[in-house]
Amino acid sequence: MDAGQWHEDVLGPPFERLELPLGTDAEGPVVATLVRRRRSPNDLLLHARGPLHGVDVLYVHGWSDYFFQVELAERVERLGARFHALDLRKYGRSLRPHQTPGNVDDLAVYDEDLGAALDAIAAEHRGGPRRRLVPMGHSTGGLTLSLWAARHPELVDGLVLNSPWLEFQASAVGRALVAPVIKLGARRNPLAPLPAVDPGFYTRTVSAAGEGSWTYDQQWRPARGFPLHPNWLAAVFAGQARVEAGLGIEVPTLVLLSDKSMLQPRWDDGMARADVAINVDVVAHRALSLGSEVTVRRLRGALHDVVLSEPDVRERAYDAIGRWATTIPR
């Protein structure tokens, strides 16, 4: 694919992708991939007065994931925003055969991915008025964007976090106990395989092959997730520790969470209407460490990825985003 040119995406029309070269790391050449939904003049007129009019939304996926949520793009643009999604380096469209999936040793590395994406988005609007930016992150992507927003407050006008992994499932105390062991392992053997902890329940709640409604590329979103490594987990723990200390984000922040978690070793039918990946009560509390204007919205029956929940839950989520959008400074 030619760098710098938009091409038809794997999702098909009207989605397009743009490869963003990011140089090389220890494993070789690195890229990120930006995805957009091509809009017609009628789309622009139809949604010109939505609560997110004049806003660019940049979506970042979670661990073992990539962007495939077509409805999310459509609904966000129906609210008036211009939607883009970013497959980070070593994920989804950006994953190359020579790479360890998702592997980084510091979440700040993604500043390069995000910077390249924002440059490409800005190029689409060159010469026009300044557009507001509202990043939207899911799970580990929510943690990554929270840390990024705290480092770049001048770029951000609002923040939407979909079940962000802001804290370890066993709370800050559990993280403090485990983190030194993980950090030591990261120094000794950063890519050593860690024991698998995903029994596949989350995939079962989402996939059309299980209890869910969605189809996607299972190479890019494996049923039990990518293998975990000490350097990546140490980077996540370090990020969570920074959140615990307080990020001082001053823009309006919306956190969407399920009303309950079901973190257990055996399948239960109730998991199809719960978060089976994070402790939502712990995360709801930790969200208060993000900044001065945080709205936590708990949605009964939501999955870990709120926008992949049942239709009634999704409607409540998009309604919450639309109402929250009126709080973003113009």
Side-chain angles (χ1 to χ4, degrees):
M1 187 171 82
D2 297 329
Q5 295 187 19
W6 290 92
H7 295 259
E8 182 176 313
D9 187 56
V10 293
L11 295 175
F15 288 91
E16 301 173 320
R17 75 191 190 281
L18 174 67
E19 186 176 288
L20 304 172
L22 299 172
T24 62
D25 68 5
E27 294 184 326
V30 178
V31 301
T33 309
L34 190 63
V35 181
R36 71 181 180 187
R37 182 175 177 271
R38 189 173 58 252
R39 295 194 296 179
S40 69
N42 286 339
D43 290 330
L44 297 173
L45 290 172
L46 186 61
H47 309 313
R49 296 188 179 276
L52 287 176
H53 176 63
V55 169
D56 286 316
V57 169
L58 178 60
Y59 172 83
V60 175
H61 57 82
W63 170 249
S64 296
D65 208 349
Y66 74 104
F67 170 68
F68 66 93
Q69 294 87 340
V70 168
E71 183 188 71
L72 172 64
E74 294 170 346
R75 294 299 297 266
V76 166
E77 294 208 334
R78 198 182 301 176
L79 291 170
R82 184 73 174 94
F83 180 92
H84 292 78
L86 183 63
D87 277 11
L88 299 169
R89 65 183 68 199
K90 305 184 185 184
Y91 285 100
R93 300 161 179 83
S94 308
L95 180 61
R96 300 295 182 263
H98 63 272
Q99 295 172 336
T100 304
N103 180 52
V104 293
D105 56 12
D106 187 338
L107 298 182
V109 166
Y110 295 129
D111 281 23
E112 296 179 12
D113 306 51
L114 291 161
L118 292 180
D119 286 345
I121 293 170
E124 299 177 21
H125 308 301
R126 189 162 289 138
R130 177 192 179 272
R131 294 176 60 84
R132 293 169 291 161
L133 176 67
V134 176
M136 176 182 291
H138 168 57
S139 198
T140 311
L143 172 63
T144 297
L145 284 178
S146 297
L147 298 167
W148 178 84
R151 290 193 297 271
H152 302 279
E154 74 284 358
L155 299 179
V156 183
D157 297 275
L159 185 63
V160 178
L161 305 176
N162 169 2
S163 303
W165 194 24
L166 302 179
E167 187 53 272
F168 185 48
Q169 283 83 334
S171 80
V173 174
R175 171 170 47 77
L177 292 173
V178 175
V181 178
I182 296 298
K183 191 174 181 179
L184 178 62
R187 285 199 302 266
R188 290 180 172 174
N189 190 352
L191 294 181
L194 292 174
V197 295
D198 186 348
F201 295 158
Y202 178 38
T203 292
R204 183 170 174 178
T205 67
V206 169
S207 173
E211 316 298 318
S213 306
W214 308 95
T215 57
Y216 46 82
D217 189 319
Q218 296 187 7
Q219 295 296 314
W220 291 347
R221 200 178 196 272
R224 293 175 181 262
F226 294 130
L228 296 177
H229 304 288
N231 61 337
W232 176 83
L233 192 54
V236 169
F237 282 171
Q240 291 173 341
R242 286 193 287 275
V243 176
E244 181 187 12
L247 294 184
I249 296 171
E250 296 184 355
V251 298
T253 300
L254 175 64
V255 178
L256 300 172
L257 291 167
S258 182
D259 64 318
K260 66 178 177 180
S261 293
M262 295 188 72
L263 307 175
Q264 56 196 56
R266 294 179 182 237
W267 172 259
D268 182 291
D269 288 343
M271 290 177 169
R273 293 184 63 84
D275 192 315
V276 298
I278 64 173
N279 185 326
V280 291
D281 291 333
V282 167
V283 169
H285 175 73
R286 180 60 63 230
L288 302 179
S289 300
L290 291 170
S292 58
E293 193 174 338
V294 179
T295 300
V296 178
R297 183 71 166 86
R298 304 289 293 270
L299 297 164
R300 182 179 296 276
L303 299 178
H304 178 52
D305 189 338
V306 171
V307 302
L308 299 182
S309 305
E310 293 184 353
D312 65 308
V313 180
R314 304 202 305 270
E315 285 301 320
R316 284 183 275 130
Y318 293 124
D319 178 67
I321 293 171
R323 288 186 286 112
W324 168 85
T326 62
T327 69
I328 303 171
R330 291 186 175 273

